[in-house]
Amino acid sequence: MHGEYKVPGGKLVVVDLEVEDGVLRQVRVAGDFFLEPDEAFDALSRALEGAPADTDAAGLAARIDAALPENAVLYGLTSEGVGVAVRRALAHATDWTDYDWQLIHEAPQSPALLMALDEVLTAEVAAGRRPPTLRVWEWESPAVVIGSFQSLRNEVDPAGADRHGIEVVRRISGGGAMFCEPGNAITYSLSVPDSLVQGLSFADSYAYLDDWVLDALGDMGIKAWYQPLNDIATDAGKVAGAAQKRVASGHGAVLHHVTMSYDIDAEKMVEVLRIGREKLSDKGTKSAKKRVDPLRRQTGLPREAVIERMLDSFRTRYGLTAGKATDEEMARARDLARTKFSSPEWTARVP
């Protein structure tokens, strides 16, 4: 069995192993990490040899920590990362490079249609009729997108939304509200097979699916990191938030979408969103306007250039072929946009 895991912000860990009589055997740990002293390397594999095959990643990490010499120093590697690689091997998880990735980057579309395409394309990946897909959104009009379980009245000021012509839509994933305007937001979706995140905890899957964009930002001179559970942050502040939805039908799939703040009208945002003190209290800031630091200021690049550099980074790492939603997918998405994502019943499912 073979498992791979790139530690978020770190290096690749590779584990090969066998299972005999319910325990791990012939465990071999490798990767492009750094580890001192040299004898600590052998301790990694020895610590896992004989471990029960149902040991979770935390339990495997504990075995490794106990076996490493006291002076061991790990660079780009964590004991938890090795444990995750083992769990992925046991779960027969796939890797990014196992797939032919397709890019969808269409002309601007309505907020409701953007929501619907997430549902349709991810269902098609789950059914095995579509390859793993990276879709870059283009906004036809400004919108507030609330999470699947958020209260409409608690999140949105209707008078402010009406005054500024902001449409309110509800997405299928959880998480918090997104304030998006054409030209100011960079939003993308990953629709991936469930096998890509096998062996990962729910929280770990966020970090794993965000890792490529951290490298892309690094290429633009921005030191960014994953901030649990679903933020991407820099020294200057939060730049993006992610959300996920799991699809159980077919072979299973995961929708992971991210909204990045390229620029922001902070005055308008606080007039449209009800951002309470309780939400801000755990963010270490007193002002909603300071919670997000736009990429425009941090990169100095046009929005289109930021997107293109992100796509170039993904393409270099995993390959990426330009495609589009099929006529059938678009027809289903338009129907869902009309009957579900534009309906008051769905938008106010939690009043």
Side-chain angles (χ1 to χ4, degrees):
M1 300 177 187
H2 179 86
E4 298 185 3
Y5 179 63
K6 184 180 182 298
V7 177
K11 298 295 185 177
L12 181 69
V13 181
V14 181
V15 175
D16 291 284
L17 57 84
E18 302 293 337
V19 175
E20 298 176 6
D21 299 324
V23 300
L24 306 186
R25 296 296 185 196
Q26 301 181 46
V27 182
R28 298 177 300 280
V29 180
D32 59 357
F33 50 82
F34 301 91
L35 180 63
E36 295 291 345
D38 197 59
E39 55 264 27
F41 176 67
D42 291 332
L44 291 176
S45 298
R46 287 200 309 268
L48 298 170
E49 192 73 23
D54 59 356
T55 307
D56 63 15
L60 295 169
R63 291 176 66 104
I64 293 169
D65 290 338
L68 287 173
E70 290 185 5
N71 61 338
V73 181
L74 289 68
Y75 299 92
L77 172 71
T78 64
S79 55
E80 293 85 357
V82 178
V84 170
V86 171
R87 297 310 313 168
R88 285 176 59 75
L90 293 168
H92 301 285
T94 54
D95 186 65
W96 296 82
T97 54
D98 291 331
Y99 300 103
D100 294 324
W101 289 87
Q102 185 175 114
L103 169 68
I104 296 179
H105 191 183
E106 305 279 7
Q109 295 163 322
S110 71
L113 184 57
L114 292 169
M115 304 302 112
L117 280 166
D118 262 356
E119 182 168 327
V120 169
L121 296 178
T122 307
E124 289 298 286
V125 171
R129 292 187 291 264
R130 159 168 286 282
T133 300
L134 168 61
R135 179 170 68 96
V136 178
W137 303 20
E138 293 294 347
W139 296 87
E140 187 176 82
S141 56
V144 166
V145 184
I146 59 176
S148 181
F149 313 111
Q150 286 188 296
S151 163
L152 177 60
R153 71 166 67 97
N154 288 346
E155 298 299 325
V156 182
D157 183 324
D162 289 343
R163 183 165 61 253
H164 293 292
I166 306 293
E167 182 179 355
V168 181
V169 291
R170 186 184 294 273
R171 62 180 183 268
I172 60 174
S173 62
M178 301 153 40
F179 176 73
C180 302
E181 295 183 286
N184 281 359
I186 297 175
T187 307
Y188 67 86
S189 298
L190 287 167
S191 296
V192 306
D194 183 67
S195 57
L196 184 62
V197 297
Q198 283 297 303
L200 300 177
S201 69
F202 187 74
D204 285 342
S205 72
Y206 273 84
Y208 185 68
L209 295 176
D210 280 340
D211 193 62
W212 73 274
V213 82
L214 301 185
D215 282 354
L217 290 171
D219 292 341
M220 289 180 262
I222 299 175
K223 171 61 177 176
W225 59 87
Y226 163 72
Q227 184 169 295
L229 171 64
N230 61 336
D231 289 348
I232 296 173
T234 71
D235 287 332
K238 174 181 173 179
V239 295
Q244 286 187 6
K245 174 68 176 178
R246 305 296 173 108
V247 176
S249 62
H251 302 292
V254 177
L255 166 66
H256 180 91
H257 46 198
V258 174
T259 290
M260 312 179 77
S261 180
Y262 173 73
D263 205 348
I264 194 165
D265 186 333
E267 297 288 346
K268 187 185 298 184
M269 179 184 72
V270 297
E271 290 181 21
V272 174
L273 294 181
R274 299 188 191 277
I275 304 176
R277 292 181 182 177
E278 185 68 24
K279 180 176 288 187
L280 294 175
S281 66
D282 66 345
K283 305 297 183 180
T285 180
K286 296 180 180 179
S287 171
K289 300 174 186 178
K290 296 178 182 178
R291 289 183 62 203
V292 178
D293 194 84
L295 291 173
R296 179 178 182 177
R297 187 188 68 78
Q298 294 197 51
T299 64
L301 296 170
R303 176 179 177 275
E304 294 74 15
V306 174
I307 293 173
E308 192 52 46
R309 291 201 184 189
M310 289 170 56
L311 296 179
D312 284 345
S313 180
F314 192 102
R315 189 178 294 112
T316 298
R317 290 164 67 111
Y318 309 127
L320 189 62
T321 302
K324 64 178 183 178
T326 67
D327 291 343
E328 181 181 350
E329 289 167 340
M330 286 302 303
R332 287 167 54 199
R334 289 190 184 98
D335 184 60
L336 271 178
R338 177 180 57 83
T339 61
K340 178 177 180 178
F341 293 101
S342 295
S343 70
E345 293 79 14
W346 170 255
T347 305
R349 64 175 291 202
V350 184

